[in-house]
Amino acid sequence: MTAHGPDSGLLVDITVPERHVAVHTCLRTGRITAVLGPNGAGKSTMLGAISGAVPAAGRIRIDGDEILHRPMHARGVTHLSQDPTLFTHLSVMANVAYGVRARGVSARESRVRGRELLDAVGLGGLEKRSAGELSGGQGQRLALARALATDPHVLLLDEPFAALDVASRARLRSLVRRMLTGRTALLVTHDVLDVLSLADDVLVLENGRVVQYGACEEVLAQPRTTFLAQLTGKVLARGRLEKDAGSGDAAWVVTDGGLRLPVAESASVSKSDGRRSTMPHRDQGRASECWHAASDRVGEAPTSPDQERVLVLSDPAQVRLATERQAETAPAGHGARGGNAGATLRAEGFEPHGTDSDRRARATAHAAGTEPCSTVDTHVVDIDRIGSRLLLRCPELAVEVPLHIRERGLIDIGAAVRLEVPASAIRIYAEGDEHQPAP
């Protein structure tokens, strides 16, 4: 049951100096919050502090109830990791009933509760089987049933699907979504499918600090860090918004790396003070104390477009690789890594080059009435495979191309390329300061 009132929410206001973690946030209860961030960002440390496994200073409150100084078993928090840590010498039923019995519930009542949960997670009929005989997917389902048996206030899931195969992950995601509806849960993951299928909210950590928090769809649509942009298949850059004199409503962004890219005519951003804000979390007309990074909204006209600092989000799926033929082999550019690194894909009149100082961009409109488009001469700094496509990463941009381009030896790290970037591939929003200051 979700509490409402001035103290509602999961308040995490902690420091763990030896791990360089200082987290200050208030999460909405009754929702699944995906906790994202690169390795070493402090995700597991934050979960450990909430559960009591990691000593921390500060405050942790669940709907106003302070739990930081309580022992682990008295916090009302259950921690589920990718290792289910089952009691392999006990039966399936004994595993589920263990926590309930430890709280003084009778053997009969604990078995009734156990059967309900085992049926719910699809393990009905296996009550007498040894937990050590279960498959990986069955083991995680048993771990979930055991975690929910004590009806915890907060459930912490630290990459619970990481050790499972693809089919088992899909089944367990569906189960978790159903079982955790209306519950407060924190889910650490590196898989965007987990986020899209399970999360109501998203919290992003970097360098032990909260850098972004909000509703899932809002955070994923406006990532404020390179890590989150890459996780969603986009590329993030920084720059300034300017109006193109004499071009009507056309607008452009100039990135910090010198690219001049078009944006939709309707694009505008709002100002941000760029500081950590203490905002009221409204619930039934009452406010509670909640920290989060300052947020920005799209849709309000900037007061000074020529000076407005913005984040520039580009979609590689909408960027085009302008090629006509394979060019002659040119000297390998900066960052080339062997192979056919000197090969260049180019359009007519495109000269090969591969360094930042050589990179150039020019704004073009191919015909009257078409959307603005920039032609960018740049080079490939990295290549990722995504299914049947390749993602060519360039400075401040990326482009998706068919897999056969590399299989035919047409491109490699360091290759010079020409990209066409239409306005529809670019989204902008206020830069602000995405990093929450240390306390």
Side-chain angles (χ1 to χ4, degrees):
M1 176 100 36
T2 302
H4 300 287
D7 294 321
S8 65
L10 171 59
L11 174 66
V12 182
D13 180 15
I14 58 164
T15 57
V16 186
E18 61 272 20
R19 300 193 184 185
H20 308 288
V21 169
V23 174
H24 310 276
T25 190
C26 184
L27 309 180
R28 290 181 285 183
T29 51
R31 297 169 69 89
I32 301 176
T33 299
V35 182
L36 308 179
N39 291 333
K43 304 182 297 295
S44 294
T45 297
M46 174 182 166
L47 264 60
I50 296 172
S51 70
V54 174
R59 299 176 296 167
I60 299 178
R61 296 175 180 170
I62 303 175
D63 294 330
D65 186 19
E66 177 62 64
I67 67 167
L68 181 62
H69 302 295
R70 294 180 184 174
M72 294 178 63
H73 70 272
R75 293 191 175 200
V77 175
T78 299
H79 197 156
L80 178 61
S81 65
Q82 58 183 281
D83 181 357
T85 59
L86 302 175
F87 301 126
T88 55
H89 63 289
L90 297 179
S91 70
V92 169
M93 173 60 77
N95 267 267
V96 178
Y98 180 84
V100 183
R101 292 283 290 136
R103 284 164 170 75
V105 178
S106 70
R108 180 179 179 279
E109 290 181 7
S110 64
R111 286 195 298 270
V112 171
R113 174 67 172 159
R115 288 194 187 94
E116 291 175 351
L117 285 169
L118 290 174
D119 287 343
V121 300
L123 295 179
L126 301 181
E127 292 88 350
K128 296 182 180 180
R129 181 175 296 185
S130 170
E133 299 176 3
L134 300 180
S135 67
Q138 289 174 326
Q140 279 295 56
R141 280 186 275 166
L142 175 57
L144 178 62
R146 187 178 64 180
L148 295 176
T150 57
D151 196 21
H153 298 305
V154 176
L155 182 61
L156 308 175
L157 302 98
D158 196 348
E159 300 194 66
F161 316 130
L164 303 179
D165 58 54
V166 174
S168 296
R169 288 185 187 187
R171 288 192 293 269
L172 197 57
R173 281 193 196 102
S174 177
L175 175 64
V176 168
R177 177 76 263 184
R178 176 166 51 86
M179 298 291 288
L180 298 189
T181 297
R183 289 182 174 272
T184 303
L186 276 65
L187 169 67
V188 171
T189 182
H190 287 97
D191 192 333
V192 70
L193 290 179
D194 294 342
V195 180
L196 294 173
S197 59
L198 296 175
D200 301 303
D201 299 323
V202 171
L203 177 78
V204 186
L205 293 177
E206 286 200 7
N207 299 316
R209 306 293 190 272
V210 176
V211 296
Q212 197 169 1
Y213 169 66
C216 180
E217 60 276 11
E218 296 175 2
V219 172
L220 296 184
Q222 294 192 4
R224 308 195 69 79
T225 69
T226 299
F227 168 83
L228 188 56
Q230 290 180 346
L231 186 68
T232 59
K234 304 294 194 297
V235 177
L236 192 66
R238 288 166 173 77
R240 67 182 187 276
L241 176 66
E242 64 177 32
K243 284 286 186 178
D244 193 3
S247 62
D249 291 330
W252 305 85
V253 287
V254 178
T255 70
D256 292 347
L259 301 184
R260 191 166 186 266
L261 304 173
V263 294
E265 294 180 1
S266 60
S268 59
V269 295
S270 64
K271 300 290 285 184
S272 169
D273 61 10
R275 298 174 296 180
R276 187 182 75 177
S277 60
T278 303
M279 298 290 289
H281 169 58
R282 300 288 176 182
D283 204 333
Q284 293 187 347
R286 305 178 71 177
S288 64
E289 184 182 33
C290 293
W291 278 280
H292 56 82
S295 61
D296 307 286
R297 297 181 180 274
V298 172
E300 299 176 11
T303 57
S304 182
D306 58 328
Q307 298 179 359
E308 181 74 17
R309 291 290 302 176
V310 294
L311 293 172
V312 185
L313 189 69
S314 60
D315 184 356
Q318 297 186 62
V319 175
R320 298 184 291 268
L321 182 64
T323 64
E324 292 184 359
R325 54 187 168 82
Q326 183 177 4
E328 304 81 2
T329 299
H334 176 70
R337 297 191 306 206
N340 195 28
T344 301
L345 292 177
R346 67 181 184 179
E348 194 64 29
F350 175 48
E351 297 301 327
H353 49 71
T355 64
D356 285 336
S357 60
D358 291 327
R359 189 176 71 241
R360 59 194 174 178
R362 58 187 174 86
T364 61
H366 297 295
T370 61
E371 70 172 329
C373 179
S374 281
T375 300
V376 178
D377 295 348
T378 183
H379 67 283
V380 179
V381 296
D382 202 1
I383 299 178
D384 291 332
R385 178 171 176 172
I386 306 175
S388 61
R389 308 279 288 174
L390 289 178
L391 183 67
L392 309 183
R393 297 190 185 277
C394 305
E396 299 189 307
L397 286 172
V399 58
E400 287 187 13
V401 298
L403 189 62
H404 69 78
I405 285 183
R406 195 175 193 186
E407 292 176 340
R408 291 165 52 195
L410 297 180
I411 202 162
D412 208 335
I413 305 297
V417 292
R418 169 165 288 180
L419 305 180
E420 293 179 353
V421 187
S424 58
I426 301 298
R427 182 174 185 180
I428 61 171
Y429 40 98
E431 181 181 53
D433 178 6
E434 74 269 22
H435 289 285
Q436 195 177 50

